[in-house]
Amino acid sequence: LLLLQQQQPQQDEAAASSLYPAQRRDLNIVLLDEMKELVETQQRQKQQQPQSKTPTTTTTIVDVRSAERFAGRVEEPRPGLRLGHMPGAINLPFVEVLQPNPETPGGPGLLLKPRDELQRILSRAGLLTSNKDDDDDNNDKDDKDKSSSSSTTATATSPKRIVTTCGSGATACIVAAALIKCDQDPDTVAIYDGSWTEWGGQPDTLIVTGNDNNNEENET
């Protein structure tokens, strides 16, 4: 008890110093009806252009749950939910953008990886596309242009809008924060608030299983 009393003032001081006013921004929140519309729009576009390698949708859906949950190979931690993921979603487990934080009080914690690592991870996932390779392949560019392009590799072109989703709407915020750290416009990053707790609990939402988009199997 004495130890707790000694620690409490330090904890209260740390908490007070980290307080900040938060404002709700509807632009960054996606609800069920809008999510249904996004998924259905992507499905219609896929059916109209089945051979197209260039997506026509202006929104990318990122599911940050584990690969096993995304594929529907394991049960969800919340009983009664259907298994799988939204058609058209890509999988980027949130743990991939985190690293241990040895300075966390009271035990090991996590924090976002350095910006250059995040850029590589997000680029591999197709969320950030650097222009560097294109510039290097263009032999008509002079060395100055190449140098300028190389030095600005961190500034990447991205999908017009990215919606992150997880199990309950919490860990989706981690990948959203990683995107913003890599200069994604905050106005183009949104969280599907209900996430899989809501989507997987609905009887009429579209769900597929597997990791390969070319071999997904419709559940409903």
Side-chain angles (χ1 to χ4, degrees):
L1 180 60
L2 178 60
L3 179 61
L4 290 175
Q5 289 174 339
Q6 291 173 340
Q7 290 178 340
Q8 189 63 43
Q10 296 177 350
Q11 294 174 349
D12 290 344
E13 182 179 351
S17 65
S18 64
L19 293 177
Y20 65 94
Q23 296 181 347
R24 176 187 174 98
R25 299 183 77 235
D26 290 338
L27 183 67
N28 301 119
I29 301 173
V30 175
L31 302 180
L32 180 60
D33 288 344
E34 183 182 358
M35 203 70 208
K36 284 183 177 180
E37 183 178 350
L38 289 173
V39 170
E40 291 168 0
T41 298
Q42 288 190 353
Q43 287 300 98
R44 286 195 299 270
Q45 292 172 342
K46 183 177 179 180
Q47 293 170 359
Q48 292 168 0
Q49 298 176 318
Q51 304 302 323
S52 176
K53 294 182 180 181
T54 304
T56 56
T57 180
T58 59
T59 301
T60 298
I61 302 170
V62 186
D63 190 324
V64 310
R65 295 175 299 155
S66 69
E68 290 77 14
R69 290 172 66 186
F70 179 83
R73 292 194 295 262
V74 297
E75 292 293 326
E76 284 292 312
R78 300 167 183 85
L81 299 182
R82 295 152 66 201
L83 307 182
H85 60 272
M86 303 169 200
I90 65 172
N91 183 219
L92 176 60
F94 73 92
V95 294
E96 293 188 14
V97 304
L98 297 175
Q99 66 180 15
N101 180 11
E103 298 181 0
T104 302
L110 297 169
L111 76 167
L112 288 175
K113 290 180 177 178
R115 189 167 177 268
D116 58 343
E117 290 187 43
L118 292 176
Q119 287 167 345
R120 287 193 291 269
I121 294 167
L122 297 173
S123 294
R124 284 198 302 267
L127 299 177
L128 299 177
T129 304
S130 169
N131 292 324
K132 180 177 183 298
D133 293 337
D134 293 339
D135 289 341
D136 288 343
D137 290 339
N138 188 344
N139 293 327
D140 294 333
K141 293 284 187 180
D142 60 27
D143 291 339
K144 182 178 180 180
D145 289 338
K146 287 184 179 180
S147 176
S148 174
S149 173
S150 178
S151 66
T152 57
T153 300
T155 302
T157 58
S158 309
K160 291 185 178 180
R161 192 184 190 209
I162 299 174
V163 177
T164 61
T165 177
C166 57
S168 63
T171 55
C173 299
I174 295 173
V175 172
L179 286 162
I180 294 171
K181 186 173 182 177
C182 292
D183 296 331
Q184 177 76 17
D185 183 353
D187 288 347
T188 68
V189 179
I191 310 295
Y192 170 33
D193 188 52
S195 285
W196 200 254
T197 299
E198 180 174 61
W199 192 271
Q202 299 290 316
D204 60 342
T205 47
L206 297 176
I207 293 178
V208 293
T209 57
N211 285 335
D212 185 351
N213 287 333
N214 294 322
N215 295 299
E216 287 178 336
E217 177 183 354
N218 284 316
E219 292 274 312
T220 58

